[in-house]
Amino acid sequence: MRRPKDKLIAGLDLHSNNVMIGVINQDGKRVAHRKLECDLKEVTEFLAPFKPQLQSMAVESTFNWYWLVDGLRGQGYPIDLANPAKIEQYSGIKHVDDKDDAFHLADLQRLNILPKAHVYDPGLRPVRDLLRRRVGLVHQRTALLLSFKSLYARTTGQRLDLAEAKKMEPKEAPKLYEHPANQLIAQVQAEHIQALDKSISRLEKAVLGCAKEIPFYERLLTIPGIGRILGMTITMEVGDVQRFKTDGDFASYCRMVDARRLSNGKCKADNNQKCGNKYLSWAFVEAANFARRSDEHCRRWYDRKAAKTSKVLATKALGCKLAKAAWHVMARPCSYDEKRVFPELAAQPMKKS
C-alpha cells in the first residue's frame, strides 16, 4: 500500500509499437508498471489514478516522442525528455528488459540526475521538420543530377555542365542520345529533377515566412556565407538560443569542435561524434565553404589555417568561428563584426588584388 501523500515519479520506455511505464515513489520503491500500445488514451487512462501524486515523468528522446510528450503536457502532466546519448547504460547486470529501463528512467528523474533534452516549440516544430524534409529532397535531386551527368559522360566521353543539366527541359534530354533506352532514362531523370525543383521551392516559401518572424533571422544574414536557405536552417534548428550559455556550447552542439578524449597528450578514445545537431553541422560547413570564396577576411584566415593543417580541418575550423559568431548575433542584439571574429587579421592591411 502506498501512502496517500506519496510523491510519485514515472519513467516511460517508448518504442515504435508500445510504451512501458514504470511508477516509483520517493524512496525508489516500485509502485506499478504496465506495457501499453502507442495510444495516448491508453496511456492517460493508466496514469489517471496517479496524476494527483505524479511529481515528474521522464521519457527517452526516441524518433517518435512528439505525440507522447505533447499529448501528456497538453493534459497537465509534468514530463521531461531524456537525452539517451548522455544516459549511462546498465553494466554488469545479467538481465535487463523494458520494465527495468522504464524504472531506470524514473530513478534518474527521482535522483535529479536525468540528462534532459530540449523540447522544441511544438508550434514551430512542424516547420522545422518541413525544412529538414527539404534537405532530403535536395539530396535526391543531387543524386539524380550526378546520375544524369554520369550517363552522358559514359556514353559520349564528354562532360556535361552541372548548370546546363539543371536547366534542361525533359523534352530536350532525349536529344542527347541515340539509343532509345538512354533517351528514356534521360527524360525520366529530367522529369524527376524538374519535379523536385518545384517541390523544394514550395517548401522554401512555406518556411521563409515563419523564419522571418524570428527576430535574429535578419541578423544571421549579416554573417559571411549565410544566405536565405542557411539562415532559415539555423533559425529553425536553434529555436530558443538562450539554452546555450556560451558560444562554445553552441559550437559543440553544431558539431564544430573536435570530439576526442586525451590523457597525458595521447588520444585514448573518440567521444560521441554524433552528439549534437547534424543539420546545424551541415549548415555551418556550407557557410564556411561559401564564406571562404566570398569574404576576404574568411579567405585569408582559411588559407593560413589550411597551410598549417589541411583544407578539411580549415573548413571545419572556419565553420566553428562562424558558429560562435552566429551565437553572439542571436543571443545579443548585434550584427556580425569581422574585427571581433578575426582580430589578428583585422589589424593587418588588406592586399590589393
Side-chain angles (χ1 to χ4, degrees):
M1 294 292 292
R2 53 190 168 89
R3 294 167 291 183
K5 294 185 179 180
D6 265 352
K7 294 293 183 181
L8 303 178
I9 302 97
L12 296 86
D13 187 36
L14 180 62
H15 300 279
S16 61
N17 59 350
N18 66 76
V19 54
M20 171 65 77
I21 305 175
V23 182
I24 63 174
N25 62 17
Q26 286 182 310
D27 298 325
K29 184 179 178 180
R30 298 182 176 186
V31 173
H33 70 275
R34 183 77 58 84
K35 178 179 280 190
L36 303 168
E37 298 293 327
C38 287
D39 182 87
L40 186 61
K41 185 179 179 181
E42 287 191 24
V43 173
T44 52
E45 285 178 353
F46 172 74
L47 292 173
F50 308 106
K51 188 175 182 180
Q53 297 167 261
L54 269 175
Q55 186 178 26
S56 59
M57 305 168 66
V59 60
E60 273 190 349
S61 176
T62 52
F63 76 97
N64 60 332
W65 63 265
Y66 291 2
W67 69 272
L68 184 59
V69 173
D70 292 345
L72 290 176
R73 283 191 169 188
Q75 297 191 32
Y77 285 92
I79 185 167
D80 290 317
L81 193 62
N83 184 352
K86 294 185 178 180
I87 295 177
E88 187 174 348
Q89 301 299 317
Y90 291 109
S91 60
I93 299 177
K94 259 188 177 180
H95 176 79
V96 177
D97 57 16
D98 295 341
K99 181 176 71 173
D100 294 314
D101 288 340
F103 282 120
H104 181 55
L105 285 172
D107 271 323
L108 293 176
Q109 185 76 311
R110 176 178 68 89
L111 298 171
N112 200 27
I113 56 174
L114 179 78
K116 297 177 183 178
H118 176 66
V119 178
Y120 197 91
D121 182 355
L124 288 176
R125 192 190 301 137
V127 184
R128 179 200 64 178
D129 290 351
L130 191 68
L131 192 57
R132 290 180 174 183
R133 299 301 179 271
R134 175 202 167 274
V135 174
L137 295 181
V138 170
H139 290 165
Q140 291 180 36
R141 182 181 63 182
T142 301
L144 281 171
L145 284 167
L146 292 176
S147 177
F148 192 87
K149 287 182 60 180
S150 175
L151 177 65
Y152 186 78
R154 209 164 46 240
T155 54
T156 67
Q158 303 297 314
R159 180 178 178 274
L160 181 65
D161 186 69
L162 185 61
E164 184 181 348
K166 287 181 178 179
K167 296 177 181 178
M168 189 167 294
E169 292 291 330
K171 62 182 179 180
E172 298 293 328
K175 297 178 182 179
L176 298 173
Y177 307 100
E178 296 180 0
H179 198 285
N182 289 335
Q183 292 175 352
L184 180 59
I185 292 172
Q187 184 171 6
V188 169
Q189 287 186 330
E191 288 172 353
H192 287 172
I193 291 168
Q194 190 176 77
L196 285 169
D197 281 335
K198 293 178 181 178
S199 298
I200 291 167
S201 179
R202 286 179 63 191
L203 297 186
E204 288 174 359
K205 289 178 181 178
V207 176
L208 183 59
C210 295
K212 280 185 173 180
E213 294 176 3
I214 299 177
F216 53 71
Y217 170 74
E218 296 294 340
R219 297 201 298 271
L220 278 171
L221 301 183
T222 66
I223 300 176
I226 296 181
R228 185 170 59 91
I229 300 302
L230 294 182
M232 286 193 295
T233 300
I234 297 168
T235 300
M236 302 310 299
E237 290 295 334
V238 170
D240 182 14
V241 71
Q242 299 304 325
R243 60 193 173 110
F244 305 105
K245 295 181 179 179
T246 67
D247 56 359
D249 291 336
F250 180 66
S252 177
Y253 180 68
C254 298
R255 299 184 181 180
M256 289 292 109
V257 298
D258 198 13
R260 280 190 293 178
R261 185 177 300 165
L262 301 177
S263 178
N264 194 27
K266 298 179 181 178
C267 181
K268 295 296 183 182
D270 289 334
N271 280 343
N272 189 354
Q273 297 182 8
K274 293 185 178 181
C275 187
N277 189 305
K278 65 178 182 180
Y279 299 99
L280 285 173
S281 175
W282 167 81
F284 282 109
V285 168
E286 288 289 298
N289 283 318
F290 287 129
R292 67 182 175 83
R293 294 195 293 265
S294 61
D295 183 80
E296 181 64 22
H297 282 92
C298 292
R299 179 164 55 251
R300 291 169 63 198
W301 190 90
Y302 169 85
D303 288 342
R304 287 176 57 180
K305 189 72 174 179
K308 295 178 182 178
T309 56
S310 67
K311 291 182 178 180
V312 173
L313 291 177
T315 301
K316 200 71 177 286
L318 180 57
C320 184
K321 274 191 170 290
L322 295 178
K324 290 181 177 181
W327 179 86
H328 286 278
V329 165
M330 291 184 288
R332 302 169 183 175
C334 64
S335 296
Y336 175 81
D337 184 0
E338 70 273 1
K339 294 180 180 179
R340 296 182 62 187
V341 179
F342 305 106
E344 68 279 14
L345 294 181
Q348 299 176 8
M350 305 285 278
K351 292 182 180 179
K352 294 182 179 180
S353 56

